[in-house]
Amino acid sequence: MKKFLFLFLILGATAIQAADGGSKKLQTVREAPQYLSTDGAAVEDTCPGNDIFNQFFCSSKEKPGFKCFDVYRVQGDPIDTERYTLLAQTLTTENSSAEPACTFEGELTCDNFLKALNYNLSFSWFIDNFPTSSFPECGKTYSCTRISCLKGLPPAANGSPQSAKLTCVFKKNQIYFLGTPLTCQNKK
């Protein structure tokens, strides 16, 4: 009789669990992540908590079939065009020859300069030293690089050489955001 009662309880519990939708344990199924931005203000996380710094994982609070767009932060090098953020740009006239010469055509802008260097400031002969006191966050929160180049101008009235000097200070972005649609599904 005890065996029959025990068997009846197990079968009843199994039927109740099956009617309730099975196990409450869910798995998080993500699609392939996509690159979004280095700017946290430009991204939106639609998962509960709206946490753009950490990945979301399904819990017993969500129902099977729940969907959202999860945004999370990654440390490393972002895409080339977002690797650096311009902090300062100056264009001055100097009484000197144009060395190092700007190697790009068009307007003297930091954007054109960075493009000409293929968004790579690691080993450029255009790098200048500068006091970090000008940018106190450089070296503490992020790394910065100052680059400059010169473009020849017509000689001054006294015949001495003149150049336009472009100086750019960039901070290196070391954090970016990825996003992916996800679905909560019953574990199999």
Side-chain angles (χ1 to χ4, degrees):
M1 180 73 168
K2 287 184 182 180
K3 287 184 181 179
F4 178 71
L5 184 58
F6 180 72
L7 186 59
F8 181 73
L9 286 174
I10 290 179
L11 288 174
T14 304
I16 290 171
Q17 185 178 13
D20 188 31
S23 173
K24 291 285 186 185
K25 299 238 180 196
L26 295 176
Q27 65 181 356
T28 305
V29 179
R30 298 175 191 279
E31 293 182 22
Q34 46 193 295
Y35 180 89
L36 299 176
S37 177
T38 57
D39 181 6
V43 298
E44 183 180 359
D45 187 313
T46 64
C47 295
N50 307 104
D51 182 358
I52 64 171
F53 297 107
N54 301 299
Q55 286 186 316
F56 175 81
F57 292 94
C58 298
S59 69
S60 59
K61 295 176 187 172
E62 288 75 42
K63 295 186 186 242
F66 173 80
K67 295 179 183 227
C68 64
F69 188 78
D70 187 28
V71 174
Y72 53 95
R73 181 177 65 176
V74 176
Q75 189 159 353
D77 278 341
I79 61 173
D80 290 349
T81 57
E82 291 190 349
R83 187 172 294 145
Y84 296 97
T85 298
L86 181 65
L87 297 178
Q89 172 177 302
T90 56
L91 188 59
T92 57
T93 302
E94 294 200 351
N95 293 324
S96 65
S97 61
E99 290 297 325
C102 298
T103 57
F104 57 93
E105 297 295 322
E107 190 178 357
L108 284 179
T109 65
C110 293
D111 187 46
N112 287 341
F113 196 6
L114 189 59
K115 284 178 190 170
L117 296 173
N118 293 321
Y119 304 98
N120 185 356
L121 302 181
S122 297
F123 301 106
S124 173
W125 76 308
F126 298 104
I127 293 175
D128 278 341
N129 291 327
F130 70 99
T132 55
S133 60
S134 305
F135 297 92
E137 293 302 311
C138 292
K140 292 180 186 173
T141 308
Y142 43 76
S143 63
C144 299
T145 303
R146 182 171 77 172
I147 56 174
S148 62
C149 69
L150 295 107
K151 186 173 188 178
L153 296 173
N158 64 4
S160 64
Q162 281 191 317
S163 300
K165 181 177 184 179
L166 174 65
T167 303
C168 312
V169 178
F170 291 99
K171 80 169 186 172
K172 185 173 185 185
N173 295 314
Q174 297 168 330
I175 293 173
Y176 59 96
F177 294 90
L178 296 178
T180 182
L182 67 79
T183 305
C184 298
Q185 296 179 355
N186 283 324
K187 283 190 174 179
K188 295 179 182 179

